[in-house]
Amino acid sequence: MAIVTAGPQALDTRTLSTAAWSSLTVTTRTSSYALGDERCLGAPGTKLEFWGSGLTYDAAGRLASGKVFAVQESVGGQVTWRLDNLQLQAKTLLAWASAGTLAQNGLGGNDSLTGTAAADWLHGHAGHDSIAAGAGADTITGGIGNDLIDGGAGNDTAILSGRLADYRLVSWNGTVGVVGRTPAARAADGIDELRQVETISFAASGESIAAPAANFAPLAYVASYLDLSLLLGANPMAGFKHMLQYGAAEGRTTTFSGAEYIASYRDLMQAFGSNAEAGAQHFIQHGRTEGRHASFSGLEYIASYADLIATLHADREAGARQYIEHGRAEGRHESFNGLLYIASQRDLIPTLGADADAGAEQYILHGHAEGRQVTFNAKQYVANYADLKAAFGSDVDAAATHFILHGAYEGRTDAPLL
C-alpha cells in the first residue's frame, strides 16, 4: 500500500512528474539514501530523495539497484509530493518513471492519499483506496476498486466514469454510497463511499448533481427481510454496508416503514412517538417474534383527506408521522381503500394489480384531481356469487382483490344480479 502526502502546493496524482529523473545530478549516495537535483536543467532547487536499502549506483553516479521504500520531491525547500510504504526494486521504479507511469503503477494497490489545503486533483487509480482530500476545492476520482473518499473542507467534486443512470446513490448518516447498476460501472468504479463531497460528476455524460441528502433508512431495510433481521440485528451500519456490498446487486429494496409500524399500535405510539428508526428497531428485536406487523397505510391515510393530499403528497412516512403527531388526536383515520379504488377503475386494473398502496398513490397524484371515485361495491360483489360468499364472507379486501385479479376478466360484476 503506497501512502501519498504532499506539501503546501496542490497535489495532482493523475500523473506524478518524472520526466526530469533521467537528468538528475545525484549529490548524496549511500546504501539507504540518495539525493539528487535538477541543476543540469537549470533547476537546482528541485530535489528528489530516495530512501531504501542496498542502494547501488552506476559509473555515472546514478541510482541503479536496491530496494526503494520512499520517494520525495521538493521545490525551493517545500515538499511537493511524497510516496511512502513502497517495496520496489529501484530498477522497477526507474522504469516506471521513464515510461511516465509512476502514478498509475505506484498507486495500483490499496493506497492512502492525503491532499493539501489547496485545490488538489486526487486519483486513486486501481485498488481499494482511502483518500482524504483536506481543505480546498478538490477533484477526486477513486478509480477501480472500492474507495473511501473524504473531501474535507471546501467545495469538493467526485468524478465517476459512467452516466448518472449507471449508479445507485445510497445516502445515510453523512455518507453517500455509490453502487454501479451496470457491470461496466461496477468494474470501473467499484463501490465507493463519499463523505464531505458536495458535487458528483459523471464523465461519460457530463452530468453533475449535488450529493444527495439522506435517502436510506438502514434499520427499515433490515426489517424488510427476515434473513437480514436474523443476520444483522438492529445494527444500522451493518444494514448500510449490506445494501452497498450485496443488497443493491441482489435487487433488494426497503419495504418496511417504521412510522407505519408505530402508527399501527397504540402502545408503540405512546412509547416512540414518530421515531421511525425506533419503530424499525422494535420490530427487529421484538415485534416480528410477537407477530406484529404494519397494518397502517400512510398513503391510504393521506388519500382520505384533501388537505393532506395537498400538503404531504405521496409520502407514506409523512402520512404516518402526521397521524401519530396530530391526526390521531384530531380523530382522523384511514377511510380510503386502495383496493376498492383500483377495482372501481377498469383502466388501472392491468397496470396496478392488487396493490393497495399503488392505488392510493395513483389517487393522490392523479385520481383526486381527475375526479375519480371509489364505486366498487364489494359486499354486492360477494353476494352475487355463492363461491365468493363461501370463500370471502365479509372480507372487503379479499373481495376487491379477487375482482382485480380474476373477476374483472371472468365477466363478473358488482352490480346486483336480477
Side-chain angles (χ1 to χ4, degrees), residues 91-113:
K91 290 182 178 179
T92 300
L93 178 65
L94 295 172
W96 289 352
S98 177
T101 60
L102 175 60
Q104 177 182 346
N105 292 323
L107 301 181
N110 303 333
D111 307 309
S112 173
L113 284 70

Side-chain angles (χ1 to χ4, degrees), residues 300 337-340 354 356 378 392 394-404:
E300 289 187 324
N337 186 305
L339 292 173
L340 294 179
F392 306 134
S394 60
D395 190 333
V396 170
D397 285 351
T401 298
H402 182 275
F403 180 76
I404 294 166

